[in-house]
Amino acid sequence: MRRTAILAVATAATVTLAACSSGTNAGSGDTDSKTLTLASVDQGSIEDVVKAFEAANPGVKVRYTTSGADQYQQQIRTQLASGTAPDVMTVWPGNGNPGATYVLAKPGYLLDLSDQPWVAKLPAGLQSVTQYNGKTFNAVFGLNGIGAVYNQQALDQAGLKPPTTWTELLTFCRAAAGKGTPAFALGIQDNWVTQLALYALVATLVYGPDKDFDTKLQAGSATFAQSSWTAAMAKYQEMNSTGCFQKNPLGTGYEASQELAATGKTLGIIQGNWVVALLKGKNPSGTFTLKALPATDTPATFMMPAAAGAGYGVNAKAKNKDLALKFISFIMSPEGMKVFNTKQGSLAAIPDNGAGADPAFTELTTYLKDNRTVPFMDQLWPNAKVQQTMLSGLQEIFSGRSTPDKVLAAMDTDYKAGA
């Protein structure tokens, strides 16, 4: 996909992705002019942002909660509908899930942010996934990518190197399994994780040869079931049958998969760049590097998924609207963006505004510069149902209760249903 298209839908990581997490840090309650309520999926990074915001605004207190993406997406619509939602909340770009910009802006749940100074600084390509009906509702601060994240110390101990072709990838997986250290941790007990390896394969197999695939989907001249999505599904299954993942991925959650990769019980993990900061938190002395996941034997054709990560929106009925807007302005400022992107290991959404890229993401940065990235596939799908069908369908494939053909056909049905 062209760079402009990438930015238009541009991690988490996720891939629909953006960074996802779990845990609860605080409750909400106070609603005075000095207290802000916030709900986030950015565990591991929102804490430092809150501290920096409070330090920059003496007397202000942020009451916040964090939760996993699946739980959050189920809760936020209920809270918004019942009038119990916080002042500020995580909002994903585009239209791919129940917490996405289009989905929440359409019924009037989000405050229009179009008049905020930072809006004019956003790259033009980001506008379509932060806006609804020409108005901006999402403060997107970072760009993310998906690939294979390797634990260098674990690789050294196993005497293996990151594979550079599909054939090498399968050989790598067999060798790793033979040494008792599976290649990749896979935590698909959390269903959002199921899409990441698939997206990494789809980027090369679908969009490499057909950069206009999304346009064809929208026009009705292409379908999931009659495209190279079938090849990507088949290769995902082949990775599983070859032993690329640890035993019982369906019984492994996202946090547990992090532990496996961080401590060298696997050689890596297929995830968004956001996971690197979490791995370093579990293993501060570890060295982790993100690389493209091989999908063919021709490296020159490789593509990587890259997209805007989850941002933040303001509740249209926020009890403390002024402070909510102040917080949004902070996270989109050079100071706030630097804290967020440094902690998450993401790339700044506004060029030259924030921290430089972590060396772990050199390959992703190169792919971005070379226009060899594609959007997270779901962000501009016409409704959130397509992704949900894919996620649950992938879990059913892993459990032997469904097949790729059935899942792709169901995705086509949901896609054709439109918005």
Side-chain angles (χ1 to χ4, degrees):
M1 180 70 61
R2 295 181 300 275
R3 177 70 184 274
T4 53
I6 297 162
L7 293 175
V9 294
T11 122
T14 263
V15 59
T16 67
L17 309 189
C20 303
S21 56
S22 62
T24 300
N25 300 83
S28 60
D30 297 326
T31 59
D32 60 78
S33 62
K34 289 288 188 177
T35 301
L36 178 73
T37 55
L38 168 70
S40 174
V41 297
D42 291 316
Q43 187 184 32
S45 54
I46 190 63
E47 296 86 348
D48 284 7
V49 175
V50 166
K51 289 178 183 177
F53 177 70
E54 290 178 340
N57 296 274
V60 166
K61 182 66 178 177
V62 179
R63 303 288 183 186
Y64 68 100
T65 60
T66 63
S67 57
D70 295 340
Q71 178 186 356
Y72 176 87
Q73 289 170 11
Q74 292 171 5
Q75 292 177 344
I76 197 64
R77 285 292 294 269
T78 300
Q79 292 174 346
L80 286 164
S82 64
T84 59
D87 297 322
V88 177
M89 69 204 79
T90 290
V91 177
W92 280 267
N95 197 38
N97 66 59
T101 303
Y102 302 178
V103 178
L104 298 184
K106 185 176 181 179
Y109 289 140
L110 300 179
L111 184 70
D112 181 5
L113 303 175
S114 302
D115 62 351
Q116 298 301 298
W118 52 265
V119 171
K121 300 177 183 179
L122 283 174
L126 283 182
Q127 293 176 5
S128 65
V129 292
T130 60
Q131 293 181 347
Y132 177 75
N133 281 349
K135 297 179 180 179
T136 300
F137 293 93
N138 193 349
V140 167
F141 57 86
L143 297 174
N144 295 299
I146 298 170
V149 177
Y150 296 98
N151 180 327
Q152 187 59 52
Q153 286 74 26
L155 287 174
D156 291 343
Q157 186 170 349
L160 296 172
K161 295 182 180 180
T164 60
T165 68
W166 171 252
T167 299
E168 286 182 8
L169 174 65
L170 296 181
T171 301
F172 175 81
C173 288
R174 294 187 189 100
K179 294 175 181 291
T181 309
F184 304 110
L186 184 63
I188 58 173
Q189 187 178 74
D190 292 287
N191 75 350
W192 69 268
V193 178
T194 61
Q195 67 201 312
L196 302 181
L198 179 61
Y199 281 9
L201 294 168
V202 165
T204 294
L205 295 173
V206 176
Y207 293 89
D210 190 357
K211 295 178 174 58
D212 295 322
F213 181 74
D214 279 327
T215 301
K216 293 176 181 178
L217 267 183
Q218 293 162 10
S221 60
T223 65
F224 295 111
Q226 299 297 321
S227 73
S228 292
W229 273 80
T230 57
M233 284 278 203
K235 289 197 170 187
Y236 196 1
Q237 288 184 292
E238 187 174 0
M239 288 180 68
N240 187 41
S241 63
T242 302
C244 290
F245 310 119
Q246 86 286 355
K247 292 182 180 179
N248 192 22
L250 279 169
T252 305
Y254 176 45
E255 280 204 43
S257 70
Q258 295 172 38
E259 190 71 25
L260 292 173
T263 58
K265 292 183 175 63
T266 64
L267 302 185
I269 186 171
I270 299 172
Q271 263 288 345
N273 53 270
W274 54 82
V275 81
V276 170
L278 300 174
L279 297 180
K280 288 180 178 178
K282 295 177 182 296
N283 180 7
S285 63
T287 302
F288 304 96
T289 305
L290 176 71
K291 292 184 175 294
L293 182 69
T296 70
D297 284 341
T298 310
T301 68
F302 291 177
M303 306 284 280
M304 291 182 74
Y312 286 88
V314 175
N315 185 349
K317 297 182 179 179
K319 295 179 174 64
N320 201 336
K321 191 172 297 185
D322 290 342
L323 193 55
L325 290 172
K326 197 168 189 178
F327 181 80
I328 292 294
S329 295
F330 178 77
I331 65 173
M332 297 303 289
S333 70
E335 179 185 0
M337 195 170 288
K338 182 176 181 178
V339 175
F340 238 141
N341 287 292
T342 299
K343 195 68 177 181
Q344 286 193 351
S346 50
L347 307 176
I350 297 176
D352 303 319
N353 191 31
D358 188 314
F361 310 132
T362 298
E363 188 158 312
L364 172 60
T365 302
T366 299
Y367 271 63
L368 284 164
K369 289 180 180 177
D370 292 346
N371 295 324
R372 294 176 61 193
T373 61
V374 299
F376 292 171
M377 287 74 201
D378 60 276
Q379 286 190 346
L380 289 181
W381 288 347
N383 59 65
K385 177 64 174 172
V386 184
Q387 187 200 38
Q388 297 306 308
T389 294
M390 177 187 65
L391 298 179
S392 60
L394 286 169
Q395 285 185 322
E396 290 174 352
I397 289 172
F398 269 83
S399 66
R401 293 182 291 119
S402 189
T403 66
D405 288 345
K406 290 180 180 179
V407 174
L408 292 173
M411 290 169 61
D412 280 325
T413 297
D414 291 332
Y415 190 98
K416 291 173 184 176

